[in-house]
Amino acid sequence: LSLEASLKLKEISYIHSEAYASGELKHGPIALIENGITVISILTDESLVEKSISNIQEVITRGAKTFVITKRELQSYFTSPVAYITTALFLILTGIFFYSTFFLNKKAELRNFFSLLPYTFALFIPAITMKLFSEEQKTGSIESLMTLPVTETQVVLGKFFAAFITSCTMLIPTFFYIVTLLFFGKPDFGPIIGGYIGAIILCATYSAIGIFASSITRNQIIAFFTALGISGFLTMLHLFLIFQEFP
């Protein structure tokens, strides 16, 4: 994984990068580390995390900017039924919204789908984010997590990107709706692309709200309803706006 990521970085951005196994770091490559060098540690094996900590601490003392990426959070989603149940319910609900009006409107567009997407995200993304920090606080694992050589910002960003990626994966099956549009008509891809870009931004926004709600309580249910309330309020805020014309 690291070798492929390093290769793609060089191919796309022409920035020089090297990838090594963690165990090889102190056998020569560590001499390349100097102040300002960026080091990305990808920990894919939980059993090797403790052994990798000393390497991470070493590059930090040499002045490197260190980022730690683990598959812990993503694994916790996809090894439990939460992600699958949430995604299935999301697809059922959005499918009903899409197909119930598609044949009535007789228009090859996703306007109704995107107009209702903020409401569905406001309901389902809090279910994904509710345990991110609340579970850590409840079990006490947050203390052991913070003993790792990572900053609070890195911990928050790691959990944010895990929730963000998981939220975005819910959108992938909805590409089938585009196939339906192509089968029955000739859709305008400009609004569709813009709609999906907006959907990705919504995923990021509601994931951030969900992480905030999860960080202020140890109870997952309270975290869910807090995030649901904030997301729902922001989603429906336009309904309470009053416009007044001025001469």
Side-chain angles (χ1 to χ4, degrees):
L1 178 62
S2 298
L3 290 171
E4 184 66 20
S6 176
L7 176 62
K8 294 302 180 184
L9 180 62
K10 286 187 284 189
E11 289 178 348
I12 296 173
S13 64
Y14 299 100
I15 297 175
H16 181 73
S17 64
E18 296 292 341
Y20 297 96
S22 179
E24 299 176 2
L25 182 65
K26 294 186 178 181
H27 296 285
I30 199 170
L32 301 173
I33 306 299
E34 59 184 19
N35 189 36
I37 292 291
T38 299
V39 177
I40 301 176
S41 301
I42 302 178
L43 309 180
T44 57
D45 191 340
E46 292 291 335
S47 62
L48 298 178
V49 170
E50 293 185 2
K51 295 180 180 180
S52 301
I53 289 178
S54 62
N55 290 340
I56 298 173
Q57 291 174 332
E58 178 69 22
V59 298
I60 290 176
T61 58
R62 289 173 177 261
K65 299 177 181 178
T66 307
F67 298 90
V68 180
I69 301 175
T70 71
K71 64 177 183 179
R72 178 170 175 260
E73 295 299 337
L74 289 175
Q75 266 191 336
S76 67
Y77 283 124
F78 294 102
T79 56
S80 68
V82 175
Y84 300 101
I85 294 174
T86 303
T87 303
L89 293 175
F90 171 78
L91 292 176
I92 291 172
L93 190 59
T94 56
I96 293 173
F97 290 154
F98 174 70
Y99 287 106
S100 63
T101 59
F102 175 71
F103 294 103
L104 294 176
N105 294 335
K106 297 181 180 180
K107 294 181 180 179
E109 61 181 18
L110 292 175
R111 187 180 301 273
N112 289 333
F113 167 71
F114 287 124
S115 64
L116 294 172
L117 196 58
Y119 298 95
T120 54
F121 273 163
L123 176 63
F124 289 104
I125 292 182
I128 293 175
T129 60
M130 63 182 183
K131 72 170 187 176
L132 284 175
F133 277 107
S134 59
E135 184 70 14
E136 298 271 15
Q137 296 180 66
K138 183 178 180 180
T139 60
S141 58
I142 187 67
E143 297 178 0
S144 60
L145 176 63
M146 296 311 298
T147 60
L148 296 175
V150 291
T151 64
E152 293 180 356
T153 301
Q154 290 172 334
V155 172
V156 172
L157 287 177
K159 290 183 177 294
F160 167 76
F161 281 114
F164 173 62
I165 292 171
T166 306
S167 302
C168 288
T169 56
M170 295 194 302
L171 288 172
I172 295 176
T174 64
F175 291 162
F176 181 76
Y177 302 156
I178 302 176
V179 177
T180 304
L181 297 183
L182 292 172
F183 185 79
F184 287 101
K186 297 181 180 179
D188 183 359
F189 282 96
I192 293 176
I193 294 173
Y196 273 105
I197 293 175
I200 292 173
I201 296 174
L202 275 177
C203 287
T205 302
Y206 289 161
S207 294
I209 293 172
I211 289 176
F212 165 73
S214 181
S215 66
I216 60 176
T217 179
R218 296 185 177 185
N219 191 301
Q220 295 186 35
I221 304 301
I222 296 176
F224 170 78
F225 282 106
T226 301
L228 176 62
I230 298 174
S231 301
F233 172 76
L234 294 177
T235 301
M236 296 185 291
L237 185 61
H238 68 284
L239 300 177
F240 303 99
L241 296 179
I242 299 176
F243 295 94
Q244 183 175 356
E245 295 184 0
F246 291 95

